């Protein structure tokens, strides 16, 4: 959250700077003026309570004088009691107003960094296989930063990346051919998105986890095994309020104070771990890594949320709401959105003066990881309107999927500056009497790998006609250090890659048979909203 003083000109604040940041986010600007007004109301109420305290002190002196003179002070004692009652009422009113004020401030996003591309236009890839003509009319204003491929190394032009669309198998087909997963029985057990990862699929994910943990440990990250549940109070301090109903699983308790939420990322418990601490500068930076399960309702709800986004935003969405919450994930969303995936994440706490340097270091660590795996990628700066409230800037690492010929997100790296640490009251340095503001640490987070998505990317990039080559860095983490996994299963003639080779006529949509009677692809552009129904 922002400092309330930032809104008040008389306290050294720059409210117009906040308004401009809100405009960049395409977020409500009027909230700034509402906060300024609430601050003034709260200030007057607190001042009123302090004035009553002054009156109480004066009456107390009169009472003392009366008693000293052995005179009746009952009238003054009643007056004092009435004033104390009035003061309590004012203090309660001030406390209520402060709660409203703080709630409003939490709705304001962090200051958008000057280097962030200003736009509300982002194409949100839902890992649904769509024809190129359908995507070609959608503009994406995320800014290209750099790219990499094994043949070219780091390049500053997207066109220079050695990455081609291939007539190959999809990642889920490769996984099926090596007998690596069982989606049908997964859906039977869990429902939507359920899948059993098995045999080589499970071994490769375990190899990715072990390699990823060692990769970060070699770079001086301290491993933390975090709680997977958090009490509501600490979660409120570190999580955007809207996420409570939208993406977090809630565990009800008879006692409200004991209500818990399943974590969505490791940044939530790790940041809250330092709640109320004052960290010495010589202890910084603190680099943490954590392996966490993917415990959010994102796979079931987030896309519905996108479908109800303001029509001023141009985005491509796939809505599941119209499907009754269940559809065959292989054909539409494929195995990239596996619900039983694990994530390895970086979390860093640093001095404010060094946070942007550390931001670049964090994304570079993730880049080196994917370079070691030999996966082509690009780094993009996310547009201002797509930033969550805490992030001042965000980079995504998007890796190349050759079957669809698209880059898709594998990593997100965010600098949240002091937005989270202020709410958690995590400070650093020494405060002198002349300092007007507290000095808070800066908090940053970055994915290293979401194992399911990384596995899918490996499947597409390392396949051959006979099977799957294993990335060299993963071989030591597999029993026998194998170099190759042969195909052992055949695909049906109606598989995704076979349908793609059929080359449907331009203007048609073909996604094959699904587990529900129909699927709906929703496209939201400006004030237009169209549904394309496919069988």
């Amino acid at each position: 959250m922002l400092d309330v003083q930032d809104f008040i000109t008389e306290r050294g604040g720059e409210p117009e700077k906040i308004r401009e940041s809100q405009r960049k986010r395409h977020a409500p600007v009027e909230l700034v003026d509402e906060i300024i007004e609430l601050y003034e109301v709260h200030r007057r109420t607190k001042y009123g309570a302090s004035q009553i305290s002054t009156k109480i002190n004066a009456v107390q002196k009169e009472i003392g004088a009366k008693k000293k003179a052995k005179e009746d002070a009952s009238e003054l004692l009643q007056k004092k009691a009435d004033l104390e009652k009035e003061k309590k009422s004012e203090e309660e009113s001030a406390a209520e107003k402060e709660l409203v004020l703080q709630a409003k401030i939490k709705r304001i996003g962090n200051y958008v960094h000057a280097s962030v591309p200003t736009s509300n236009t982002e194409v949100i890839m839902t890992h649904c296989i769509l024809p190129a003509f359908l995507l070609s009319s959608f503009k994406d204003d995320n800014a290209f930063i750099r790219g990499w491929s094994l043949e070219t190394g780091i390049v500053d032009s997207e066109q220079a990346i050695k990455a081609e669309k291939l007539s190959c198998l999809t990642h889920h087909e490769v996984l099926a051919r090596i007998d690596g997963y069982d989606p049908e029985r997964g859906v039977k057990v869990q429902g939507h998105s359920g899948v059993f990862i098995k045999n080589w699929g499970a071994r490769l994910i375990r190899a990715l986890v072990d390699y990823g943990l060692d990769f970060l440990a070699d770079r001086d990250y301290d491993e933390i095994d975090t709680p997977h549940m958090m009490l509501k109070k600490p979660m409120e301090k570190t999580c955007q309020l809207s996420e409570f109903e939208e993406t977090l699983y809630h565990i009800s308790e008879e006692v409200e104070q004991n209500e818990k939420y399943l974590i969505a990322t490791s940044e939530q418990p790790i940041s809250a771990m330092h709640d109320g601490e004052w960290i010495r500068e010589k202890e910084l930076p603190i680099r943490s890594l954590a392996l966490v399960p993917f415990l959010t309702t994102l796979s079931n709800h987030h896309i519905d949320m996108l479908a109800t986004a303001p029509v001023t935003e141009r985005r491509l969405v796939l809505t599941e709401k119209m499907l009754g919450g269940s559809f065959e994930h292989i054909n539409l969303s494929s195995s990239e959105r596996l619900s039983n995936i694990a994530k390895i994440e970086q979390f860093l706490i640093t001095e404010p003066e060094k946070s942007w340097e550390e931001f670049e270091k964090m994304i570079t660590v993730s880049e080196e990881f994917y370079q070691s795996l030999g996966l082509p990628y690009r780094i993009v700066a996310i547009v201002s309107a797509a930033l969550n409230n805490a992030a001042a800037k965000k980079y995504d690492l998007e890796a190349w999927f050759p079957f669809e010929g698209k880059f898709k997100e594998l990593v997100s790296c965010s600098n949240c500056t002091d937005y989270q640490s202020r709410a958690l009251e995590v400070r650093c340095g020494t405060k002198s009497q002349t300092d007007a503001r507290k000095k808070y640490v800066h908090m940053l987070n970055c994915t290293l790998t979401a194992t399911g998505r990384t596995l899918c990317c490996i499947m597409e990039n390392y396949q051959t006609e006979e099977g799957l080559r294993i990335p060299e860095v993963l071989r030591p983490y597999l029993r026998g250090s194998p170099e190759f996994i042969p195909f052992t299963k055949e695909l049906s003639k109606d598989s995704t890659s076979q349908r793609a080779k059929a080359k449907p006529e331009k203007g048609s949509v073909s996604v094959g048979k699904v587990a529900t009677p129909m699927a709906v692809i929703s496209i939201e552009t400006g004030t237009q909203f169209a549904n394309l129904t496919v069988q």
Side-chain angles (χ1 to χ4, degrees), residues 6 48 71 77 85 114 158 166 191 201 371 404 477:
D6 290 352
E71 296 178 4
L77 288 169
K85 185 177 180 181
E158 187 169 335
L166 301 176
Q371 289 172 15
E404 293 182 63
Y477 295 91

Side-chain angles (χ1 to χ4, degrees), residues 95 100 192 194 269 307 314 323 350 371 382 394 398 424 469 492 512:
V100 174
H192 169 62
R314 298 180 58 201
L323 304 178
T350 187
Q371 289 172 15
I382 301 303
K394 184 170 84 164
E398 299 176 343
L424 291 161
R469 293 182 296 113
S492 69

Side-chain angles (χ1 to χ4, degrees), residues 275-286:
D275 187 4
E277 294 182 2
W278 197 319
I279 303 172
R280 292 179 295 179
E281 290 179 332
K282 68 179 183 180
E283 297 173 357
L284 299 172
I286 299 174

Side-chain angles (χ1 to χ4, degrees), residues 1-2 21-22 24-25 108-114 116 238 240 243 267 356 359 382-396 412-420 443-445:
M1 61 186 290
L2 298 186
S21 182
Q22 287 290 96
K24 288 180 178 180
R25 289 178 175 274
I108 299 288
N110 201 350
Y111 292 108
V112 175
H113 192 265
V116 172
T238 188
Q240 191 167 321
E243 292 181 9
E267 72 175 276
W356 291 108
F359 176 73
I382 301 303
V383 296
S384 54
L387 297 174
N388 61 24
N389 274 5
K393 183 176 181 178
K394 184 170 84 164
Y395 278 163
D396 276 2
S412 284
C413 181
S414 299
N415 188 348
C416 299
T417 63
D418 58 3
Y419 193 88
Q420 293 169 315
M443 293 182 169
L444 302 86
N445 64 83

